[in-house]
Amino acid sequence: MICCTRMENSAGQPGSSTQRKVALRRAVIRTDSALLQRTAQFTDGSTGAVEMKWSEIKRVAAFRRDVLTRPVFCVAITDPANVVVLDESMQGWKPLIKALSKRLSQSPSFSEWREKIGRGSADSHWTILFSAHN
């Protein structure tokens, strides 16, 4: 789960601010031969979408995030304008992992990285899987 804090002005109180918590309700990952897309729905009813062209991806990093009762595998994908963090709880995760290995030359692959670290280690094992050569 991703949490965000938004600042807003309180009605009738110029200059004052309040905080409210907005969490990710649901995210869907879609891939095709040209694009990676993540669409997110948040608990405040808002939605957001990010599209990345495979040809413009600059970096893919894998890491493990400890969330409540179990670790969650994640990837952070960077293009010239965005950094998007995707995790195994999102719809479309398995097709994403297959698409990463098909579209980008990773070393190690996500699957190799996951097998190596397992879920029991205390370290997040931040690992660069792909980096574009400029």
Side-chain angles (χ1 to χ4, degrees), residues 54-62 76-78 100 103-110 127-133:
W54 290 113
S55 61
E56 294 180 357
I57 291 177
K58 299 295 183 195
R59 185 170 79 165
V60 177
I77 302 175
T78 306
L100 285 173
R103 304 284 171 209
L104 304 172
S105 59
Q106 304 169 77
S107 182
S109 71
F110 181 85
T127 302
I128 303 298
L129 301 179
F130 170 80
S131 183
H133 301 287

Side-chain angles (χ1 to χ4, degrees), residues 37 64 68 103 106:
Q37 180 184 48
R64 196 188 66 219
L68 298 176
R103 304 284 171 209
Q106 304 169 77

Side-chain angles (χ1 to χ4, degrees), residues 51-124:
E51 282 189 356
M52 298 174 144
K53 293 180 182 178
W54 290 113
S55 61
E56 294 180 357
I57 291 177
K58 299 295 183 195
R59 185 170 79 165
V60 177
F63 61 99
R64 196 188 66 219
R65 182 184 294 161
D66 292 325
V67 180
L68 298 176
T69 60
R70 67 177 183 90
V72 175
F73 292 124
C74 307
V75 290
I77 302 175
T78 306
D79 74 3
N82 304 288
V83 176
V84 64
V85 176
L86 307 170
D87 70 53
E88 65 182 322
S89 71
M90 296 176 177
Q91 181 181 338
W93 173 257
K94 287 181 181 179
L96 167 69
I97 297 306
K98 288 179 184 175
L100 285 173
S101 65
K102 186 176 181 180
R103 304 284 171 209
L104 304 172
S105 59
Q106 304 169 77
S107 182
S109 71
F110 181 85
S111 298
E112 291 168 335
W113 171 82
R114 184 185 61 219
E115 291 298 316
K116 179 181 147 191
I117 68 140
R119 291 187 185 268
S121 175
D123 188 7
S124 70

Side-chain angles (χ1 to χ4, degrees), residues 4-8 18-22 42 44 46-47:
C4 307
T5 303
R6 291 190 181 169
M7 300 297 289
E8 344 179 294
T18 60
Q19 291 184 356
R20 73 185 162 119
K21 211 171 184 179
V22 178
F42 298 94
D44 69 349
S46 64
T47 60

